[in-house]
Amino acid sequence: MVENLFEQNLLWAVLAAVFWGFAARGARSLATRGTARSIRRRARLGLVLLSVSLLVLTLRVALAAALALAAGWTAAADFVLFAAVPLALAGAAAGTLALPVYRRLAARTAPAAEAPAAPEIADGAPAAVPTAASGPPRGPAPAQREAARAEGRVPAPPARSAGSTPGYPGASDDHASGGDRAPVRDRGTARGGASGRDGGSTRESRSGCDGTPAQGRASVRDRNSAGESASVRDRASVRDRGTARGGASGRDGGSTRESRSGCDGTPAQGRASVPDRASVRDRNSAGESASVRERGSVRERGSVQDRGSVRDRSGAGLDELRRAAADPRLVVPVRSCFAASLAAAALTLHPPAPPYAGLLVLELAVLAVAAGALLLLQQRRLAALEAPGLRAPSTAGRLLRSTAVATAVAVLAAGGCTLAAQQSRLPGRMGDSHHRHAYDTGGGPAAGRAPARDLAALTGPRTGTPDRRFTLTATERSLRLASGERVAALAFNGRLPGPELRVRRGELVEVVLVNQDVEEGVTVHWHGVDVPVAEDGVAGVTQDAVRPGGRHVYRFRPPRAGTFWYHSHQQSGTAVRRGLFGALIVEEPAERPVGVDRTVVAHAWPVEGAAGGGGAPAGPHGPGGVMRTALGDDTRLRREKVPEGTPVRLRLVNADNCPRTYSLAGAPFRVAAIDGNDVSGPTALEGERLLIAGGGRFDVVFRQPAGPVHLAVSGDANASGAGGGFEGCGEDGAYGTGRVQTASLLMDPSGTAAPPPPADGPLFDPLRYGSPASAPFGPGTAYDRDFHLVLGNSLGFFDGRPMLMWTVNNAAYPDVPALLVREGDRVRTAFVNRSLDDHPMHLHGHRMLVLSRDGERATGSPWWTDTLNVAPGERYEVAFRADNPGLWMDHCHNLDHARDGMVLHLAYDGVSSPYEAGRSTGNLPE
């Protein structure tokens, strides 16, 4: 659930930015459309896009809230604060301000194809003016006109002569007689159907009925103009004073005066004719010309649609639509929402480390400043749109501007990435100040209250004769496995894996490490054994790496019996993969071997020249080759003859990064120990599969039946190639189970039986297994420190490389604050995996008691562990006692993750380290 919500948050953060990017572009370019029709069409499209973007934003905010409910506030506080809050504020502004403007623009009626012509005037009455409200023009009915002509009140139209103007009967190109009541027609109406006389009034001045001409020159004037002046002489002058910039026609809101001859049709005072081609200029259409031809007709020669003199049926012209489309209430909220979604996506893909308050205030302030800047820019743009003579930008101009913007963005992105890469480079030297540069106190006292101690002095016994003494010699050579494959190995004592070390609890153990020729250096870390901190074997933290030709002596007394292992902690990702590891078995002092006690170390070897399996990394982080799973040094089926009834103990060690799934078929079995800790009251299991964390160990016991018992690796993400995929080891819980490995162990009384098929039952669950027993940290325990660790992913740079980083509380080593404790503290730690891969969290020097998983408390045997696998989406609570002073690593034991940043430290107050890590020191623990 948590993993899915995390993935959905990542996905919808990017989608929200994409959708709002298109919405912002559409809102900004809406006012630059060339025609009223295109503005309306784009407004409808923009309305749909804005609505979808608001839905995406709502889903994005809801997903952040759902993650907080499922994983807890600490696991989702960054997504809620830096994504949900700014997006919700910006989305509310866009929905409140921009959405209504879009609706008004999209709801306007499209103009008709062409405005109807004005009707002829009958019986001295003026022609009706067509408007959006009145519909088609009204005039005398055809029957009434014919009756008037029959009575002589209206002259019949003359026959059309050659060269007469189409649509104007009887009007020649060169001359037209000045008959009474000559109609004025505007043939230059816009294609969209806008009327040239919307809302105007008509005043008509005539001569007397006795034929006496009216004084003065009859003129037609549009009083809606801005003071332009022109006249059409001799009875039919027409003046168009210019329309409003919004695209209204030349006579919108104006008045018309017409002077005519006497009632008998006699021309008035010698001005009987209209001069040919009387010029009429429409000052709103950028110099387009029209002529008044024969009998007062007006013809417009230019395209009105492109010049802004268009008015739609609701009275809104192109200029008015442009002003509405450039309204800051529409553009600014949408562009601000795009800015907020970009910030939210960036802070989701690369979330910030706590504390969050200061950064949240900064983000909101930056977004507010950005919104203010966008408002000022849009106001300037609106003023430019209102300027006369606006022309839509050319294709070349738009291309040039887009290229300039893309270039600027690319330059800024490249510069930012270069700076980020440089800033991410690890320091050449990281001493104690880096280990404790910042502390997470977990609610406890701050540092500085405990006496100062030097870590180098916290050693095991330096005197006395050791009870067990071993020498481990590290070499680099090509070795052959028992099954025949060759490995470019790093090995202890020339063996793969290294020699098994068996000791007893409480004995003084001395191990001499000799580096023969491993150029990178070597250490030995005792995984799971609570040794003194100076014996822990971590380069740059508890000792210096042993260079070629050097040696180092470890002395300690194992405090607990159990199954453990050892490995190098100098460039451990490469060293362990190539073979610098082995098993460490600690037995009870009085324990005597009974039956068969076998250590089974599973490891995926980078085999040279083999086919199949997953690929091993080459170059500085690996030898290359194909990964093949082996039990010990054998990738084949290994047989062992075991008499019926013999007690068998199999010590399973996963010496790899990813979880490994085992199948034990042929006999009921019990899980006797986990990570070297005995299980209380283990019960018999049959058919269940065992999932063991990377670095983890299980002890399995059974009694050999009459038939064969088969131990097989039923799923191995380490060898299947899954560990290198986008979701790493997890594969949504499959862990490579689609492919059974060839490495297996068959125990059989006869030594010839065929192996039974692998078990395919459910996964073993330690949370409910075994019998409850007394343990510390029960319900109601008061803890001195409470830590919350969110294991996550972040896109960014680490040590100069772009990568998908592995983070703790959104920070990567060395920037993860150390967990501060004092000796004797009761410590509770919560792990939440909000990433795309498994994280086997390993705490050095201590063991942890699992309290709960996903809110469900542990009900079986006390589950003690030192390597806890936290799968994607899982939440664990663990507790431990701070009883081993030092400076301890606490890291993911997927060693590739640790190499790429998933490392922090457990720091005891007052304890300091004299060692330094970093490239210039030669100490590289991961």
Side-chain angles (χ1 to χ4, degrees), residues 693-751:
R697 293 89 60 207
F698 278 11
D699 286 17
V700 176
V701 298
F702 61 92
R703 190 171 293 276
Q704 177 67 43
V709 177
H710 188 213
L711 175 70
V713 178
S714 60
D716 191 357
N718 300 283
S720 67
F726 181 68
E727 296 193 26
C729 301
E731 294 184 297
D732 290 326
Y735 301 107
T737 53
R739 177 167 180 244
V740 177
Q741 302 297 313
T742 57
S744 62
L745 174 64
L746 184 65
M747 291 160 286
D748 173 43
S750 66

Side-chain angles (χ1 to χ4, degrees), residues 423-451:
Q423 293 294 323
S424 73
R425 291 193 177 277
L426 298 177
R429 306 184 75 89
M430 292 178 286
D432 185 61
S433 60
H434 286 280
H435 300 320
R436 55 188 180 88
H437 71 285
Y439 286 127
D440 181 351
T441 65
R449 302 191 180 190

Side-chain angles (χ1 to χ4, degrees), residues 358-615:
L359 188 58
L360 175 62
V361 172
L362 177 62
E363 181 193 10
L364 294 177
V366 169
L367 290 176
V369 170
L374 290 172
L375 177 61
L376 292 177
L377 289 174
Q378 191 60 27
Q379 287 175 338
R380 290 183 58 185
R381 191 161 180 268
L382 180 59
L385 287 172
E386 292 179 340
L390 172 70
R391 290 181 180 273
S394 65
T395 302
R398 290 197 301 269
L399 180 61
L400 182 62
R401 184 179 63 187
S402 300
T403 303
V405 171
T407 302
V409 170
V411 169
L412 289 175
C417 290
T418 302
L419 180 62
Q422 292 175 346
Q423 293 294 323
S424 73
R425 291 193 177 277
L426 298 177
R429 306 184 75 89
M430 292 178 286
D432 185 61
S433 60
H434 286 280
H435 300 320
R436 55 188 180 88
H437 71 285
Y439 286 127
D440 181 351
T441 65
R449 302 191 180 190
R453 286 180 286 181
D454 190 341
L455 176 149
L458 301 176
T459 67
R462 292 291 96 185
T463 61
T465 302
D467 299 295
R468 306 276 180 170
R469 181 169 182 164
F470 305 94
T471 298
L472 295 175
T473 302
T475 59
E476 181 174 6
R477 62 180 61 181
S478 177
L479 294 176
R480 191 176 296 277
L481 300 178
S483 48
E485 298 91 345
R486 185 167 290 278
V487 176
L490 300 175
F492 286 125
N493 298 357
R495 299 173 56 181
L496 294 178
E500 178 181 305
L501 309 182
R502 280 197 177 245
V503 302
R504 295 190 181 275
R505 177 176 59 84
E507 289 183 335
L508 179 58
V509 179
E510 181 180 284
V511 179
V512 179
L513 169 64
V514 177
N515 183 358
Q516 181 171 307
D517 58 4
V518 178
E519 189 64 30
E520 294 82 7
V522 184
T523 68
V524 177
H525 164 63
W526 312 100
H527 189 113
V529 183
D530 299 341
V531 299
V533 67
E535 313 297 338
D536 196 42
V538 179
V541 180
T542 67
Q543 69 171 87
D544 288 324
V546 179
R547 313 310 305 177
R551 56 192 287 128
H552 186 88
V553 178
Y554 301 92
R555 291 170 65 96
F556 57 90
R557 296 184 183 274
R560 289 193 325 275
T563 302
F564 307 97
W565 65 303
Y566 62 89
H567 60 81
S568 177
H569 228 300
Q570 163 73 357
Q571 288 196 336
S572 55
T574 301
V576 173
R577 181 180 288 114
R578 296 181 64 183
L580 285 177
F581 65 90
L584 171 63
I585 308 302
V586 181
E587 301 171 330
E588 289 292 348
E591 186 177 3
R592 294 291 181 267
V594 177
V596 175
D597 189 336
R598 294 286 180 269
T599 302
V600 183
V601 181
H603 186 69
W605 295 103
V607 174
E608 297 176 339

Side-chain angles (χ1 to χ4, degrees), residues 907-926:
Y908 279 72
D909 189 15
V911 177
S912 61
S913 172
Y915 303 105
E916 293 182 311
R919 283 183 297 271
S920 61
T921 69
N923 291 326
L924 302 170
E926 302 300 343

